[in-house]
């Protein structure tokens, strides 16, 4: 459980940055070179590579170097872990809201009977 929590922490840390979220969003459409990924951002390539490094270290992306070209690919399985966490949270809160709705119906029904 602790390893799963640590993995989620690193995924959410990586996704907390807008540049890294944009990279993930772009890679959801298919592989891209680092140059293509860096193009929309106003930053030096070494700075952009730090973002790529964070995404790679969490396993959200994978890169492969062929000659001087580095191509990045999205690792969808890692994103699935975050999606599962959100789904679990949604289910917990939906249950809580349902319980609250039931309680309110019971209380409202008791008020009408009085």
């Amino acid at each position: 459980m602790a390893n799963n929590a640590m993995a989620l922490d690193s995924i959410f840390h990586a996704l907390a940055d807008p540049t890294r979220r944009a990279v993930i969003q772009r890679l959801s459409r298919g592989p891209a070179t680092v140059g293509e990924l860096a193009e929309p951002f106003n930053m030096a390539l070494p700075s952009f590579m730090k973002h790529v490094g964070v995404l790679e270290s969490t396993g959200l992306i994978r890169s492969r170097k062929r000659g001087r070209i580095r191509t990045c690919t999205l690792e969808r399985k890692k994103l699935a872990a975050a999606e599962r966490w959100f789904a679990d949270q949604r289910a917990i809160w939906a249950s809580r809201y349902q319980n609250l709705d039931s309680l309110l119906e019971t209380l409202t029904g008791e008020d009408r009977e009085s």
Side-chain angles (χ1 to χ4, degrees):
M1 186 84 157
N3 280 344
N4 190 33
M6 287 174 42
L8 275 175
D9 288 350
S10 67
I11 289 169
F12 286 130
H13 167 74
L15 295 175
D17 184 88
T19 299
R20 294 191 287 264
R21 285 194 308 273
V23 168
I24 294 294
Q25 201 167 17
R26 167 52 189 87
L27 290 175
S28 70
R29 297 191 314 259
T33 66
V34 169
E36 292 168 337
L37 293 171
E39 190 175 312
F41 303 102
N42 186 22
M43 67 177 72
L45 191 58
S47 297
F48 184 78
M49 286 304 295
K50 289 181 183 180
H51 289 291
V52 171
V54 170
L55 292 170
E56 279 188 299
S57 71
T58 62
L60 288 169
I61 69 170
R62 175 175 42 92
S63 73
R64 189 174 15 166
K65 191 171 183 180
R66 183 174 282 171
R68 292 177 40 158
I69 307 291
R70 182 175 294 276
T71 302
C72 298
T73 307
L74 181 63
E75 291 294 319
R76 295 179 190 277
K77 287 181 183 179
K78 284 291 184 173
L79 274 180
E83 289 171 4
R84 277 191 304 276
W85 184 86
F86 280 116
D88 291 346
Q89 296 307 305
R90 256 190 310 277
I92 289 167
W93 283 99
S95 174
R96 289 176 180 169
Y97 286 134
Q98 182 59 48
N99 290 341
L100 182 58
D101 286 344
S102 297
L103 176 62
L104 290 172
E105 283 179 22
T106 301
L107 293 174
T108 304
E110 288 175 2
D111 287 346
R112 289 184 191 154
E113 293 174 5
S114 301

